[in-house]
Every structure is written in C-alpha cells, then in structure tokens.
Amino acid sequence: MCLDDASVGAPLTSYPELPSLLETLSDALLFLDTTATIQYVNRRAAAMFGASKHELLGTSLWQSAPHLVSTALYQAVTTAIHTQESLEITYCSPITQGWLRVQLSPTNGGVLAFFREGKEPVRLYDALYKSEQRYRSLLESFTDGIVILTPEGLILDINQRPLLVAQARQEEVIGRPMVEFPSWRSAPLAQDQLRAAIEQARRGETVHFEVRLYPQAESYRDLAFVMTPHCDAEQRIEYLTCVGLNITEWKQAEEEWRTLLDIIPHFVWAMYPDGSTHYRNQRWRDYTATTAEQDQGNDSWSRWIHPDDRQRVLDTWQAAVHAGTSYEVEHRLLEVETCAYRWYLTRGTPRRDQQGTIRQWVGTCTDVDDLKKAEIALYQSQERARTLMDSNIIGIFISRDNEIIEANSTFLRMTGYSQEDLRQGKMGWFRMTHPDFLARTQQARQELAQHQTLIPYEKEYVCKDGSRLPVLVGGVALPFDPSQNLCFVLDNSARKELELRKENFLSMASHELKTPLTAIKMRLQLARTRLLKQGFGEAAATLLRAEEPVQLLDRLIGELLDVSKIQAGRLDYLREPVDIEALVYEIAETIQLMSTNHTIVVHGSAPCTLIGDKGRLEQVLINLISNAITYSPDATTVDIDLDATTEAVTIGVRDYGIGIPQGQRGKIFERFYRAFDLSQRAIPGLGMGLSIAQEIVQHHGGTITVESEVGSGSTFRVTLPLKRSNPLCNDLI
Ligand code: ADP
C-alpha cells in the first residue's frame, strides 16, 4: 500500500491534497504495515533515512534505517501494532547517539510513525537520558558480546565487542539477520545452531548453545551463547537477548583435559540426573565400540552391563540420585571387541550448582576384573572347603603342634569327642593314637614338617570310649602358618574288616587245600615207587609227570599259607648258622636239574656264615631263580653273583628276559601284584613270591632291590647283614 497511489486507503483518499500536505511536514512521517514494512515515507523521512523514497518503499524499517533502529523503537512499534493504541517514545540511536522522539498512531492495517530529531534531551527526559546512557555503558562494559534480536532474528542492538572481533560497523549489521553477521557467514553449522536457537527462544525457552566461529580464516573462537526471550505484560515475546561468552581458552583447556581423560586407564563419564550422557572418554568409546551419537537417551550406558547385574546397578544409581549422595557399585561390562565381560568398579558423585541443585553426576569405572576373579575364586575355594568341612564323609581337623584346634563334626562323631572336649584341648595327635602306631605317627609328622604334605597312611585312633578306630590319614601344612596342619581322616574300619575276613579265608582255604593235596602227593609217590618195583617203568614215568602240577599246586598253596601267616604276624623263623655260598650252589644245582632251557652260572664267592632260617632263605633264592627262568623264556642263561664283605653278603640274580617297566618296579614287592605286560600274559603266577621274599629278607635285617630294563632283563639283589643288624643273630647273642 502506498499513500501516493490510487489504492490509498479510504480515509486518506477522501482528502486528495493530503499527500502533498504530508510532504510539507517538518516531521519525518512513515506508514508501516503490521510487519513493519515501509508503505509510505515523506520527503523529510527519506532525507533522515539517507535514501530515496523509491529505495525505501516496500522494505523493512529495521533493515532500511539501521541508524534509527533501537530496542526501544522496536518494542514501541510492535506494541502499537498489537495494541492499536497510540504511544510516544524518546530514545537515543545506538549508532548516531542522536536523540529521537517518535509518535506512533495505529491506523487501519498498520501504524503511522512521526520521527522528530532532538538536539538535546529536554529536562523532562533527563532521567530517561541518564538511564539510556547507563544502559549503553553497561552494554559496552561487558567483555562478552550482547545482541538484541527481534523474534525473527534481526539485530536490534549490539555492543562493540563482537563488532571489533568481526571488524564490522554497527550500521552494517543493525536490522540485518544475526545469521548473516560476518563471523557467522563462514560457519554454516553455527548458523544452523543459531536458527534452531532462535526458533526455540521464540517459543519462550531460554536456550544454551555452543558454537565455533571463524572471524579470521585461520583462527577460531568458541562461544557459549545464552538466548533469552523477553515478554511483555501479555506474555508476548518482544525481543530476544543473546549473550555470547568467549570460551575459547576454556575449551582449549577442556580439550587438554579430555585428551588426558582419554588416555587414562579408566572410563570417565559425566551424566545428567536423568541418566543421559554428557560425556564419556575415548576409552569407554573404544571398549563399547560406540560413538557419542549412539550414546543417546536415558540410561543408554546400561546396555553394556551384564544382564544379571543391570537391575542392581540401575537401582543403586536411582537410589543415589534420589538421596543425592555418592555411590559405588561393582558389575560386569561387555567388551565389544572380545565379546567378554570384565568386572568394573563404578564410582559416581554429584556436582551441584551454587544453589545446591545437582546439575550433573561425574564418575569413573575402574577395571577390577583380576581382583574380582581372584575374590570369586577365593570365595569358591572357601565354599568348597566349607562344603568339605561340613560333609559327613570325611573327618577333617586342623592341628597346631600336637593339639587339635579345630575339627569338623564328622571327625568328632568318628572319634566320639564333642566340641566341648575340643575347646578344652582334650584332643591331640598322639593322645588319640594307639600305641602300636605311635612310631608311624611320629614319622608322619616329620614327613609333614619336611615336605608340607603327608601321603595318606593307615593307623588306628583310640576313641573317647577306648575303642579302636582304623583310619586313613593324610594332610598338608597350612601355607600361611606351617606350624598348623590340615588333616583329613577316612574311617577305614569297613575296609579293615573286609581285609581281616579275606585273610581268615585265605588262611583257612590254604589249610583246607594243603591237607588233601599232601595226601594226593604221598599216594602218587607211593604208587610210583610200587610201579617201579614191579617193573612198570613207563607207567611210573607218567605218574612222575602227573606229580609236576601237583608240586606247583603245592608251592602255590604253600605261598598262600605263608602270606596269610605274614599278615597275621605268625611266620615262624628258625635260628641256625647258614653257609650262604653252599646254599646258593645247592639250589642252583637242584633247579638246573629241572630246567632244560637255561644254564645257571654262579660267579664269585661268599665264604661266610650268617645266623638265619636256612629253609626261608632257600625259599627266597628259589623264588628269585625260578622267576629269572620264568620271565626270560627266550634267554638261555641265568647268572648268580656272590659277593661278601666283613659286614654283609650279597646275592645277585641276573636274567636276560622281558624286564620290568620302571613304573612297576616298586610295586612288584607288594602282595598279589603282577607286572602288566603283554608278553607276560601267558606266564602263570599269583604275585606272592616276591612279597614273601621281601618279608623274609627284611626279617633277616637285609634288603632286596631290583634293577631292570624292559627287553634286556632284570637283576634282583639280596643283601644280608652278617652280624649285629641281623635281629635273628642278635637274638642268639
Ligand atoms: P609271580 O611270579 O608268581 O607272579 P612274584 O611275586 O614272584 O609273583 O613276582 C611278582 C611279579 O614281578 C611277577 O608277576 C612279574 O610280573 C614280576 N617279576 C618278578 N621277577 C621278574 C623277573 N625276573 N623278570 C621280570 N619280571 C619279574
């Protein structure tokens, strides 16, 4: 609309001389529509604006006359348009510093504005003048940038600070959109942020945002802005105040901190009270393989917590937020790269503003995986130990020196003692040991002290009621205090009873078998003698062959009897002088007569006599030589080596047979043990001979040892003392 045109509004067109009249006015006159676009301007106004009428028509007042623009004018124009009420203001132009008095009269479709330039403020406006001056010096005293914007984002006022930085003049920027301010033009991202902030502020919100601007090509400035909307009495937004704070140095310091925070071996974080992330260091990002953008939303960080721990952690966090106190919680976190969970200790603490309101939570997560796993392992091992202690299968006690200081209920039940007895120190290793086992127990304690471990051994306890309890005892010295031992005790009575029954059976069975067998042997011999006398040589030879298995059977039953006697401690020994050399030759000759495949060769000599049981020693040598023949089926020689010193005589029986594997050499002296070897399968035997031989040799104070190599043969060596250490000999003396 233009007052020069025929389309001028009805009230004005009815006075055709009005336009020329208005041109003569000494005041500058403008007609603005409701968007503050200039629709009419008189000559005086055009002169005041410094532009032609043509240039001014159709443009925004704020953009066309920057030297007239001020926040006060903007406020007044928008209020007049909105309220349709006339008003008058006097203000000082921020650019020219000249005083202006403006009368605003709302009309149909806009507002008429009369501008009058004042030389100096009249007295009435003294206070206003002073206040305006204060406002300006206040504005300029800020080291920060302050911009007053229309709700559309046009600059109404600006202080010198940002102008200096951008090397711009006020008149170049006033009335123009802030996004086009020189230092913003080269920062499209910042422009977008500013547009979004203006939009938000127009909706009545105070907006905080940070931008990076490039006032010069190579340097940047980080600015933190607060944009605040100002409302009139009717809550209509009049203008926006935008305060920009230079935070470049602070940002640089923050970046240095962040670099530091990124390399420390912890996760560092800052969260808002709603659980959304403000900051997480690079280490966290690497561990969880996430970017800051992916870390959006409340409690998004809890995604990486082990499902079993998640609720507990969230509850702890919520409780801390509720109470406003620091918190600590342990949990597992998923390491995305390895797909494995590690244990972390998270600590968080609130950060409050000056009013005491919690603004943020900051904290760290520390890797405690090794510690936690050790703790769990310790707990599990303690649990295992407790389960074992509480089990009713095994008796367990802890002893210090001779005294038992702790025992589980199974051990107490086994021995018939009570906790009270234990407390009163009535239980002890030796006190509870049967006298028959005292020596062995002493030996066991030495073993424990020396090796910190005790290989289980058999013994008997004397229970509280005096009864005997066969047990198997093993133990270890406690690593933290070697004077304390942890021992376990197994009730061995059932096994012992079974063994006793077996021994009784063996003894009975061998006796029962021996009697009829002796009768058969005698009858066979009698029949053979008769047949020979009657001239039936062939039949007698057949009978002789029948005697061989009977003799083998006789030997086996004899061994069985010996074994049962040894077990019962009833093997009898004679005490007589024995010429070992003569005995060896005698036995070698006898066995040679029966052996067709092997030659038995005796080497060396032993011209000495010892006191012993000749029959039993003979039994030892027969067993060794028979074994040498039996276990060397492919060989042709058995060598016997004799050697004697003043102290002892040694008999070595050497064969060139199958040999004995190393792991079995120690066991062949055990009762009923037979070395397992394929080549031996076809060789009969019951595994009794060597155990009897060892018993006999030991009874004579001697030793029996073996050296062997699989496939090359074995050498059994018996050493017998000639004097003193031979108990039989001592007995005689
Ligand atoms: P038996 O010969 O009746 O089995 P022994 O007690 O005499 O019982 O021997 C125990 C085991 O020792 C034998 O079964 C055999 O495995 C092994 N053994 C004994 N002597 C020899 C030897 N000279 N060569 C190889 N193995 C032997």
Side-chain angles (χ1 to χ4, degrees), residues 316-325 358 361:
T316 312
W317 154 248
Q318 291 300 343
V321 170
H322 186 69
T325 50
I358 296 176
W361 287 76

Side-chain angles (χ1 to χ4, degrees), residues 372-547:
K372 190 72 187 174
K373 282 186 180 146
E375 206 176 274
I376 292 171
L378 180 70
Y379 173 76
Q380 285 172 345
S381 100
Q382 279 173 343
E383 277 302 289
R384 277 199 293 272
R386 192 166 303 125
T387 313
L388 200 65
M389 273 300 253
D390 295 344
S391 76
N392 55 6
I393 312 160
I394 194 164
I396 297 173
F397 67 81
I398 295 174
S399 68
R400 191 189 301 117
D401 303 324
N402 287 332
E403 198 188 332
I404 292 175
I405 54 170
E406 225 181 300
N408 71 348
S409 53
T410 308
F411 184 69
L412 295 175
R413 200 182 58 244
M414 275 159 80
T415 54
Y417 284 91
S418 65
Q419 280 290 351
E420 193 50 36
D421 296 327
L422 185 69
R423 260 193 298 280
Q424 290 174 5
K426 288 186 183 166
M427 298 177 78
W429 268 65
F430 289 106
R431 194 173 317 148
M432 291 170 64
T433 298
H434 189 274
D436 289 355
F437 294 90
L438 273 178
R440 178 67 185 95
T441 301
Q442 188 65 55
Q443 186 192 336
R445 279 187 54 82
Q446 280 167 5
E447 196 181 316
L448 244 175
Q450 231 175 332
H451 307 294
Q452 277 72 57
T453 171
L454 171 61
I455 296 165
Y457 72 102
E458 289 181 0
K459 67 181 278 186
E460 281 185 18
Y461 279 128
V462 180
C463 299
K464 193 178 176 185
D465 64 2
S467 60
R468 294 170 67 159
L469 175 73
V471 288
L472 189 71
V473 184
V476 284
L478 291 179
F480 51 86
D481 180 1
S483 74
Q484 291 192 25
N485 301 313
L486 175 79
C487 296
F488 65 83
V489 182
L490 275 174
D491 185 338
N492 218 9
S493 42
R495 205 186 113 209
K496 280 283 161 195
E497 199 190 315
L498 210 66
E499 256 178 35
L500 195 69
R501 259 191 261 160
K502 190 183 75 191
E503 279 162 18
N504 289 342
F505 169 78
L506 270 182
S507 148
M508 214 172 61
S510 43
H511 264 113
E512 294 300 314
L513 288 171
K514 188 90 182 160
T515 322
L517 196 69
T518 314
I520 294 171
K521 214 165 76 179
M522 282 172 60
R523 282 193 194 139
L524 275 176
Q525 279 170 358
L526 196 68
R528 189 161 53 89
T529 319
R530 279 194 191 149
L531 283 173
L532 273 176
K533 275 189 190 159
Q534 289 166 9
F536 298 109
E538 210 174 314
T542 313
L543 268 188
L544 185 64
R545 278 201 297 280
E547 268 179 57

